[in-house]
Amino acid sequence: MSIVSRRNLLAFPVVASAAIAVTQLAPRLAERAVAGAPAIQKPLPPEWFVDYGTNAEMRWESVDPRAELTPQPRLFVRNHTATPVIDPASYRLRLFGDGLVGSREVRLSLAELKAFAHTELTSVHECTGNGRSFFTTQQGEEVSGTPWTLGAVGAVRWTGVRLRDVLASVGLRPDAVSVMATGLDDHYVDDGVDHGPVRRPFPIGKALDDALLAWGANGEPLLPDHGFPLRLVLPGWAGIGSIKWLGSLQVSTSELTSPWNTIWYTIDGKPVTANPVRSAWELSWDAELAAAKKVRLAGRSWSGAAPIVKVDVSTDGGASWSRARIVAAGRSGAGEGRGWTRWTYEWRSPSVGEHVLLARATDAHGRTQPDVARANPSGYFFDAVVRHPVRVASA
Ligand SMILES: Nc1nc2c(c(=O)[nH]1)N[C@H]1C(S)=C(S)[C@@H](COP(=O)(O)O)O[C@H]1N2
Ligand SMILES: [Mo]
C-alpha cells in the first residue's frame, strides 16, 4: 500500500448558503416521479416498492413474514443523486488526516481490506426520515422531505471488517476525535448550490466501537444501489451515517463538520445519532382482512439503542391494550449486532367494519414510543405510535 505523508485539501468549496436550499429538495424530487432509473439501478416492482424517483420505500405488506432479514432487492433506497458505477478492480479506499500517525495517507484495495478479520453484523438499517409523512397525516405538521410511510427500513446482516482494525493497522493517534466518511457519488447540487459529495462526520468512539466497512449484505455482494463495492455501516445510527460507495475516511484531531451534520440530519442543531424506537404492522395501509374467530396479525419493532423488551398493541384505536407475542428476540443467528423484533397478535372475532391498529414498543433503555413525535421542520425521527387503519370484511 502506498503511504504519502502529505495532507490533502478537500477538492470542493465549502458552501455557506446551504440552509435555504434544503426545504425545496424533497417535494421537487417527489413530484418528478421518475420510475427508478437512472437514479436507482435495481428494479422497483410496484408490489414491493413505493417509488419516489431517487428514493424508494419497501411496502410492509410485501415483507415475507418468515424472513428475519430484508433481501437487498427489497431494501429501501435513499440516494441524494444517483447510484454510481464503480469498478471494483481499481477501487481504493483512501484514509488520511492528522488523526493518523504521521498524517499519513493510505489507499486500500478491496483485497487489502478483505485481508483483515471478517465480521458479520446485523443492524436495522433505517432512514432518519422514516415515518415522516405521519408528522403531517397524524400530527398536522408541515415537514419537508420524502414522504416516507414506515418502509424506509430493513434488517441486514452485513459482512465486512471492523473500522477499528483498519485504523489500528494504519496507525491511529490517541487524540483523534472525528472521522469524515465521503461517498463517491456525484456532488449533491440543489438550486444551483454545489454542496460537494455526500459526506458526514462521526465520533471516533463509534469508529472504535462497532463501525463496519461492509462489502456484503445477507451473504451476497452489495448491490450497486446499496453501496457496491464498499459502504460504511454505523449500526443503530441514522441511515445517513452509513455512507455508500465509500471513497475516503478523514481522521481528525479536531471536530469535523459537513452540511450533513450541521444543516441536515440535525434536531435542535444537534446531529442525529442513534435511531429511536419504532414499530410497523406487516400490512398495507387500509388493509382488508377477512373476518374470523382468530385473525393473526404480525409486525416488527426496533430500536437503534437497545433490544426491544415489550410490544403492546391495540385493535380499537388505543382504547384498550394487550401484550403482543414476541416471536424472535431480534437476534439473527450467526454474527453480532441486533436485528428487529418480530411479534404476532391474535385478534379475536373482530367485528366487520373499520378499525385502527396501534403498536407501541419499549426498549431495554426504557424508551417507549410516545403518542406524539417531537416536531422538527425536516420531519426526522418520527417515533410516535402510528394509527394504522384496516377494514374487516365478512368472510
Ligand atoms: N454516498 C452516499 N451515501 C449515502 C447516501 C447517499 O445519498 N450517498 N444516502 C444516505 C441515507 S440518507 C440513507 S438513509 C442510507 C440509505 O441506504 P440504502 O439506500 O442502501 O438503503 O444511505 C446513506 N448513505
Ligand atoms: Mo436517510
Side-chain angles (χ1 to χ4, degrees):
M1 60 185 77
S2 65
I3 293 177
V4 189
S5 63
R6 182 176 58 87
R7 268 188 77 183
N8 277 28
L9 293 171
L10 295 180
F12 50 87
V14 174
V15 179
S17 60
I20 328 143
V22 65
T23 49
Q24 285 145 29
L25 168 70
R28 216 183 51 214
L29 291 179
E31 276 158 31
R32 222 168 57 194
V34 183
I40 297 174
Q41 290 186 13
K42 70 182 182 182
L44 300 172
E47 62 274 23
W48 291 358
F49 288 102
V50 182
D51 184 348
Y52 299 106
T54 61
N55 305 326
E57 81 169 293
M58 177 192 79
R59 290 186 189 274
W60 269 96
E61 67 270 30
S62 73
V63 169
D64 177 349
R66 293 152 306 179
E68 161 76 13
L69 301 172
T70 309
Q72 286 190 87
R74 293 172 175 246
L75 185 63
F76 83 97
V77 182
R78 164 54 171 130
N79 279 349
H80 280 73
T81 60
T83 296
V85 178
I86 295 168
D87 169 22
S90 57
Y91 172 84
R92 298 289 182 276
L93 172 66
R94 174 171 162 247
L95 292 113
F96 69 104
D98 70 357
L100 298 178
V101 172
S103 289
R104 63 180 49 148
E105 174 169 336
V106 177
R107 288 169 194 272
L108 299 176
S109 67
L110 286 170
E112 286 167 322
L113 285 163
K114 288 177 180 177
F116 289 90
H118 295 193
T119 295
E120 291 227 323
L121 183 153
T122 300
S123 75
V124 177
H125 174 59
E126 182 172 41
C127 185
T128 321
N130 197 25
R132 175 181 286 126
S133 66
F134 299 111
F135 276 109
T136 306
T137 59
Q138 209 164 281
Q139 301 186 181
E141 287 152 12
E142 213 177 295
V143 289
S144 62
T146 302
W148 306 111
T149 61
L150 279 173
V153 64
V156 180
R157 188 183 298 159
W158 310 100
T159 306
V161 294
R162 295 282 189 186
L163 176 53
R164 64 175 179 240
D165 292 347
V166 176
L167 291 177
S169 154
V170 173
L172 180 67
R173 283 179 58 110
D175 55 349
V177 296
S178 189
V179 182
M180 175 81 78
T182 301
L184 292 168
D185 38 342
D186 282 347
H187 286 200
Y188 175 55
V189 179
D190 186 53
D191 276 348
V193 179
D194 185 343
H195 297 287
V198 176
R199 63 201 187 283
R200 193 172 198 253
F202 58 101
I204 194 74
K206 188 69 173 168
L208 297 178
D209 179 13
D210 57 359
L212 196 72
L213 302 175
W215 58 78
N218 305 331
E220 292 163 355
L222 290 176
L223 286 183
D225 295 316
H226 298 297
F228 179 87
L230 192 81
R231 83 179 296 164
L232 178 65
V233 176
L234 299 186
W237 281 29
I240 182 59
S242 295
I243 294 294
K244 303 192 273 189
W245 318 294
L246 186 62
S248 67
L249 292 168
Q250 178 188 1
V251 185
S252 175
T253 57
S254 56
E255 290 295 341
L256 299 170
T257 60
S258 86
W260 282 266
N261 84 328
T262 58
I263 298 166
W264 312 307
Y265 305 98
T266 67
I267 296 180
D268 296 338
K270 280 172 49 185
V272 296
T273 57
N275 282 322
V277 184
R278 295 189 250 220
S279 302
W281 298 89
E282 292 170 21
L283 291 170
S284 62
W285 206 247
D286 290 321
E288 190 170 296
L289 305 165
K293 270 217 167 98
K294 283 179 185 172
V295 176
R296 193 174 183 277
L297 301 171
R300 301 178 189 214
S301 301
W302 59 94
S303 157
I308 297 295
V309 292
K310 64 169 182 170
V311 182
D312 294 306
V313 297
S314 172
T315 52
D316 56 10
S320 64
W321 293 84
S322 309
R323 194 58 51 86
R325 192 176 71 87
I326 288 178
V327 292
R331 298 286 307 202
S332 301
E336 302 169 48
R338 186 176 57 249
W340 40 27
T341 295
R342 294 155 61 195
W343 43 264
T344 59
Y345 181 68
E346 291 210 324
W347 191 8
R348 286 164 199 271
S349 307
S351 59
V352 168
E354 316 276 333
H355 300 266
V356 175
L357 306 183
L358 282 71
R360 184 196 307 275
T362 300
D363 75 9
H365 285 183
R367 303 192 306 170
T368 296
Q369 293 182 256
D371 290 327
V372 178
R374 195 144 71 90
N376 65 94
S378 298
Y380 297 136
F381 280 3
F382 186 91
D383 62 347
V385 174
V386 169
R387 304 180 62 83
H388 191 132
V390 297
R391 210 166 67 78
V392 174
S394 45

